[in-house]
Amino acid sequence: MLAQKILSRYVTKTTTLMMLGTLLVLVFLFILFSYIGELGSLKEGYGAWDAFKYVMWDSPHNVIKLIPIAALIGAVLGLGSMASNSELIVMRGSGVSLWRIVGWVMRPAFLLVILSFCISEWVIPYTTEQAKGVKTQSTVAALGEVRGYWTKEGNHFYYIDYANSKGNLNGIQVASFDDDYRLDTVIKAKTGQFIRDGEWVLKNNQQLNILPNGDASFQKIPTKDLSLALQPKFVHMVTLDPEELAPSELVGFMRYMHEYSQIPKTYQLAFWKKVGSPFSLIALTLIACSFIFGPLRQQSMGFRLVIALFVGLSIFYLQDFLGYASLVYSPSPAWFIFIPILFMFGAGSYLLYRAR
């Protein structure tokens, strides 16, 4: 029992250091190449130091994407070094089961899952806002504004020239259609103000009514109530890429959108990507273990590293492709997110079962 505890700590420590070391190297390379690429966007008011600050603030958003690949490569390197020194053979010969060793390797993978969640929930929303402030030279208050926003609810199409997180609207246009998709009314308002959930008031309105016989009537209305799902606290969210939102923000925004209108598929895709990310990381770690105990156990460390990079990048781009394909072909992006993950679990489990 004591010997297994010592082995457990050794395997866990080795794979943890390899995974974290791989992550640091990948992050450093990503920041370096991102900064080199950003130097091509220099202009007056946006110098080399601003570009460096932008890349640093924006890096956590991309670190999330690197963590699963770091887990795969780190597990391959950690287990591969032990396999090269015949340590895994000694462990197996002393009665330690293959699945027990896999369980020890999974411990640092779960630590990376927790790290990924913490970055996604608490770090990315703040750093993304700071990065946008550096890139556009905008104040924090200006980041809570929307300009040129289109939305649709039922048979009504809304255009808002300006909205902010304080509940103020400017330049509103509303086009309403009847059940036969014929234009019914067009409203133009100079300003608007948030009242309560789903309720706004428009001021200085001009309304054009299209009559059934084709004629039109025009009238001016000082104030007019408007049912609009947009809430001031969610104004800044419509300006962000859904993947830049924290999981809790996505859940709240999707619940709110579901209550008043249809949820855009881009937000569903971002949500399911965040849900599937921990399972993807665990599946990639399982794949790494199956490589070392299976077809790659007799290969050199360099060959293992090349295969790990190839597999990791292939799965990354496949998931990315299938995710965006789901916006067109799937009723729910969850299918396209979890099918590759289930395939990885199946392939890894099969290879480990054969090596058992």
Side-chain angles (χ1 to χ4, degrees):
M1 182 65 74
L2 179 60
Q4 287 206 6
K5 286 184 178 180
I6 295 174
L7 290 175
S8 169
R9 291 173 184 171
Y10 174 71
V11 173
T12 301
K13 178 182 177 181
T14 301
T15 51
T16 300
L17 291 176
M18 286 295 183
M19 288 182 182
L20 292 179
T22 303
L23 180 60
L24 290 176
V25 171
L26 291 177
V27 169
F28 172 76
L29 292 175
F30 171 81
I31 291 175
L32 177 62
F33 289 117
S34 296
Y35 179 65
I36 293 174
E38 195 64 25
L39 290 177
S41 303
L42 299 184
K43 58 184 178 181
E44 185 178 354
Y46 183 71
W49 176 242
D50 294 316
F52 178 75
K53 289 193 295 182
Y54 170 75
V55 169
M56 293 303 296
W57 282 119
D58 191 55
S59 59
H61 174 248
N62 296 281
V63 167
I64 297 297
K65 300 177 182 179
L66 297 175
I67 288 179
I69 298 177
L72 170 66
I73 297 175
V76 168
L77 293 178
L79 284 176
S81 65
M82 287 184 278
S84 300
N85 296 327
S86 301
E87 293 171 329
L88 294 180
I89 296 177
V90 174
M91 293 181 195
R92 296 292 304 279
S94 62
V96 180
S97 68
L98 181 149
W99 291 108
R100 186 178 294 275
I101 297 174
V102 172
W104 294 340
V105 177
M106 287 296 174
R107 292 178 182 177
F110 282 112
L111 291 177
L112 289 181
V113 167
I114 296 172
L115 174 64
S116 176
F117 175 79
C118 292
I119 293 175
S120 180
E121 178 66 29
W122 292 295
V123 178
I124 287 180
Y126 175 76
T127 56
T128 298
E129 189 175 89
Q130 296 298 321
K132 287 182 178 291
V134 172
K135 188 80 169 181
T136 62
Q137 301 296 321
S138 300
T139 62
V140 175
L143 295 175
E145 299 175 350
V146 173
R147 296 183 183 275
Y149 173 64
W150 281 94
T151 185
K152 174 184 178 295
E153 295 180 19
N155 292 340
H156 306 286
F157 291 82
Y158 302 91
Y159 173 76
I160 301 170
D161 187 58
Y162 171 84
N164 64 23
S165 56
K166 296 181 180 179
N168 299 316
L169 304 179
N170 287 332
I172 308 100
Q173 299 181 36
V174 184
S176 301
F177 294 79
D178 60 20
D179 294 335
D180 295 323
Y181 303 103
R182 296 188 180 94
L183 185 62
D184 187 25
T185 61
V186 177
I187 301 172
K188 294 182 69 176
K190 289 186 177 181
T191 61
Q193 182 64 47
F194 178 73
I195 304 301
R196 61 181 67 89
D197 288 356
E199 296 182 20
W200 298 73
V201 60
L202 301 182
K203 300 177 181 179
N204 299 322
N205 302 275
Q206 297 177 346
Q207 181 169 323
L208 181 67
N209 301 305
I210 310 299
L211 303 178
N213 60 5
D215 295 335
S217 64
F218 179 80
Q219 60 185 132
K220 292 186 177 181
I221 306 173
T223 61
K224 182 179 180 62
D225 294 332
L226 176 69
S227 297
L228 179 64
L230 185 68
Q231 284 190 12
K233 67 179 181 179
F234 292 126
V235 162
H236 75 288
M237 292 188 184
V238 301
T239 67
L240 298 175
D241 188 307
E243 294 187 7
E244 296 174 352
L245 297 175
S248 59
E249 290 179 326
L250 269 174
V251 170
F253 188 69
M254 290 174 60
R255 185 183 295 120
Y256 154 74
M257 290 294 291
H258 179 72
E259 183 177 353
Y260 290 100
S261 60
Q262 187 177 6
I263 303 173
K265 270 196 170 184
T266 52
Y267 289 89
Q268 292 180 344
L269 175 60
F271 171 75
W272 286 113
K273 275 187 175 181
K274 292 182 184 294
V275 172
S277 180
F279 298 100
S280 179
L281 193 154
I282 298 301
L284 285 172
T285 307
L286 188 68
I287 288 286
C289 295
S290 68
F291 283 169
I292 299 302
F293 288 105
L296 299 184
R297 62 178 178 270
Q298 301 296 334
Q299 302 298 330
S300 65
M301 183 65 74
F303 185 80
R304 291 168 184 158
L305 181 59
V306 170
I307 294 298
L309 280 170
F310 175 77
V311 171
L313 292 175
S314 298
I315 291 173
F316 172 78
Y317 287 117
L318 177 63
Q319 286 182 311
D320 215 31
F321 170 76
L322 291 178
Y324 287 109
S326 70
L327 299 178
V328 179
Y329 299 108
S330 174
S332 172
W335 290 98
F336 281 70
I337 296 298
F338 281 96
I339 286 176
I341 295 174
L342 292 174
F343 174 77
M344 286 189 289
F345 270 115
S349 300
Y350 173 73
L351 291 174
L352 285 172
Y353 176 79
R354 289 188 57 184
R356 186 166 56 97

